[in-house]
Amino acid sequence: MKVNEKLLNRLREALMDIPTIKEKTMFGGICFLVNDKMCICARDNRLMCRIGPAVYEECLEIPGCEPMVHGKRLVKGYVFVYEEAFKDRAAFDHWISLSLKHNEALSRQQ
């Protein structure tokens, strides 16, 4: 498993104030679970974000964002986001915000 330590540390810093955060090795990277649900992952040079179906198609129009394929199966609601789409702080925060918003919606459904 190849994880970009710089990216991983950026995520740790951005998520450190969330009391229910856990790190777990999953999907070939280090994933952050919020309320025991997979939220966002650091992989090689990209993020894997669980953004949900509501904004999925819209996000795929952003350069540097592509659908997540696990094995040979397309996993709707999850995207891979490459560095070009999160270089600056505002863009990075945007992906975290989308992932946390979807996580919150999932938590309310329980």
Side-chain angles (χ1 to χ4, degrees):
M1 173 179 66
K2 183 181 173 189
V3 176
N4 179 324
E5 288 295 323
K6 183 178 177 183
L7 177 57
L8 180 59
N9 288 331
R10 281 180 78 185
L11 276 176
R12 284 178 175 145
E13 183 179 325
L15 299 170
M16 68 187 211
D17 292 332
I18 298 173
T20 59
I21 196 93
K22 294 178 189 170
E23 287 185 33
K24 187 172 182 177
T25 302
M26 298 171 63
F27 296 110
I30 304 295
C31 292
F32 292 85
L33 286 73
V34 177
N35 300 316
D36 293 321
K37 293 170 185 54
M38 202 294 291
C39 185
I40 192 166
C41 300
R43 292 189 43 140
D44 41 17
N45 63 339
R46 59 190 170 164
L47 296 170
M48 184 181 78
C49 300
R50 184 178 188 186
I51 57 170
V55 295
Y56 179 75
E57 295 295 331
E58 176 184 327
C59 287
L60 292 177
E61 295 177 19
I62 298 170
C65 179
E66 65 181 34
M68 178 188 166
V69 177
H70 187 65
K72 293 183 179 180
R73 187 174 73 92
L74 176 68
V75 186
K76 282 200 165 188
Y78 291 75
V79 292
F80 287 128
V81 184
Y82 291 86
E83 286 181 289
E84 68 187 81
F86 63 82
K87 278 188 179 178
D88 63 54
R89 180 64 186 230
F92 189 72
D93 290 347
H94 172 74
W95 293 108
I96 292 171
S97 177
L98 287 177
S99 299
L100 288 172
K101 184 176 180 180
H102 180 65
N103 183 277
E104 185 179 309
L106 289 172
S107 296
R108 284 194 307 263
Q109 291 176 2
Q110 288 184 327

